[in-house]
Amino acid sequence: MRGLLIAGLACALVAPAAMARSIPTSNQRPAPGNEEPQTPIALAGYNDHVNYELQCAGCHLGDGTGAKVSDVPKMKDFVGNFLKVEGGREFLIRVPGMSMSALNDAQLASLINWMMSPDGMAGASVPEHFKPFTTEEVAAIRHKAMLNLPGTRTELIAKMRDQGIEINDGMGD
Ligand code: HEC
């Protein structure tokens, strides 16, 4: 019994030290050839596709299919419909994945325009007279917090239904 107690105590004492080993020590240095500090994505100058892969595809998947299981709506062939209803244009910029991404305003404008482009993931859902987003527009919208995202989205989807738009967002049953 006493032995067990001592062994238990020893484990408890050793465990934090074992975990601490994964925390870098102050004298830890980058591996040879890897000394350059990483360039923040907002300064890296990647194209829209790469920015999408790095900042969005983890949730939305490479082609924007999304995943109902994690509540990520389908953007492919659908997301352009938000531009057809009042408030939808702002909504696209204010969703957290967009507004809180590490991309700067110009990169976000460029990225959403790329998604809405004729060969982009939004496909035929984009309205005929799509007006591209500007950096200034994104800058003005992105910091307006959206307090009730599900409620706002439900209203926008209802407005689409009123227009006879088929709701093919991958979230239905
Ligand atoms: C951590 C997961 C995650 C990341 C990363 C993410 N999103 Fe999202 N996105 C979601 C979810 C979940 C929703 C549904 C609304 C909500 O809950 O935010 C959504 C909604 C959206 C919408 C509105 C579409 C709709 O049908 O409601 C757009 C547009 C969008 N995201 C674009 C992007 C872009 C562009 C990026 C990259 C800059 C991005 N998201 C990054 C999870 C993510």
Side-chain angles (χ1 to χ4, degrees):
M1 185 64 194
R2 198 166 154 211
L4 266 181
L5 268 179
I6 291 170
L9 197 64
C11 284
L13 285 173
V14 165
M19 281 189 289
R21 270 210 296 269
S22 62
I23 298 170
T25 59
S26 54
N27 56 7
Q28 194 161 351
R29 296 283 170 266
N34 200 23
E35 293 88 354
E36 285 279 307
Q38 203 183 352
T39 309
I41 192 166
L43 303 175
Y46 298 135
N47 66 26
D48 296 318
H49 195 162
V50 172
N51 283 341
Y52 178 85
E53 290 292 333
L54 294 174
Q55 291 277 295
C56 324
C59 296
H60 286 277
L61 304 191
D63 64 351
T65 309
K68 185 175 185 239
V69 68
S70 13
D71 279 335
V72 181
K74 178 160 95 61
M75 297 202 288
K76 187 175 162 52
D77 298 324
F78 182 75
V79 73
N81 286 317
F82 284 95
L83 297 168
K84 298 174 183 166
V85 292
E86 204 197 321
R89 193 174 167 99
E90 285 203 1
F91 174 80
L92 294 180
I93 304 298
R94 291 172 74 196
V95 288
M98 285 284 280
S99 61
M100 293 167 75
S101 79
L103 301 173
N104 63 36
D105 299 336
Q107 287 170 319
L108 268 194
S110 179
L111 177 60
I112 189 106
N113 291 338
W114 170 78
M115 287 162 59
M116 301 295 173
S117 65
D119 54 351
M121 67 179 65
S125 67
V126 181
E128 208 181 322
H129 301 292
F130 166 59
K131 198 169 128 256
F133 286 83
T134 63
T135 303
E136 295 69 31
E137 183 182 6
V138 169
I141 300 173
R142 84 183 281 185
H143 300 295
K144 284 194 210 161
M146 183 153 47
L147 297 181
N148 180 4
L149 190 152
T152 307
R153 190 174 192 279
T154 304
E155 278 173 25
L156 295 171
I157 296 286
K159 285 185 199 166
M160 288 180 205
R161 283 209 166 91
D162 289 347
Q163 287 188 30
I165 296 170
E166 193 192 340
I167 306 305
N168 183 17
D169 64 351
M171 305 304 279
D173 299 321

